[in-house]
Amino acid sequence: QVQLVESGGGLVQPGGSLRLGCAASGIIFSRYAMGWYRQAPGKQRELVATITSGGITNYAHSVKGRFTISRDNAKNTVYLQMNSLKPEDTAVYYCNAHISTVLTSSDYWGQGTQVTVSS
């Protein structure tokens, strides 16, 4: 059974920082690309950042230079360090695990963690 469990969300003032974590179980973590997505009220879910199994990262333009995604394969955990937070970063943040082969692909999602940026 695959489980992705997010942690680290909360309320923070504009300009502050938060670190999200996502602990994975039930998968061979090192083989999966991992990602963070977010969904604000009334909006579609959007990509925030991804990191491949080889450590290559990709960021949405809106968070580039402020957020950093990283992974610790020994701990089966992916992190999202969020700095210089803005009110528009307020959303539910979801962890994603993705793997694809020639024949198939699989995606797994966490339950989400709320991030609220407000004074």
Side-chain angles (χ1 to χ4, degrees):
Q1 182 182 0
V2 179
Q3 282 193 312
L4 301 177
V5 180
E6 298 104 334
S7 61
L11 174 64
V12 63
Q13 292 187 340
S17 298
L18 280 176
R19 188 193 196 201
L20 306 183
C22 172
S25 60
I27 59 173
I28 303 175
F29 181 79
S30 61
R31 296 184 182 178
Y32 280 71
M34 301 298 297
W36 288 96
Y37 292 72
R38 66 187 182 187
Q39 187 167 18
K43 295 188 177 181
Q44 289 188 328
R45 190 174 297 189
E46 64 176 1
L47 180 147
V48 175
T50 60
I51 183 167
T52 68
S53 58
I56 298 172
T57 59
N58 180 55
Y59 296 93
H61 179 75
S62 60
V63 307
K64 198 170 291 186
R66 299 188 297 123
F67 291 10
T68 302
I69 188 170
S70 62
R71 63 191 298 159
D72 186 336
N73 289 342
K75 295 182 178 180
N76 288 359
T77 301
V78 61
Y79 302 99
L80 185 68
Q81 178 66 45
M82 304 186 294
N83 298 329
S84 302
L85 282 160
K86 305 175 181 180
E88 51 263 44
D89 295 318
T90 295
V92 178
Y93 283 70
Y94 296 91
C95 176
N96 169 264
H98 173 79
I99 191 168
S100 61
T101 67
V102 173
L103 297 177
T104 188
S105 65
S106 297
D107 279 277
Y108 301 100
W109 295 90
Q111 82 287 351
T113 186
Q114 177 70 46
V115 172
T116 302
V117 185
S118 175
S119 55

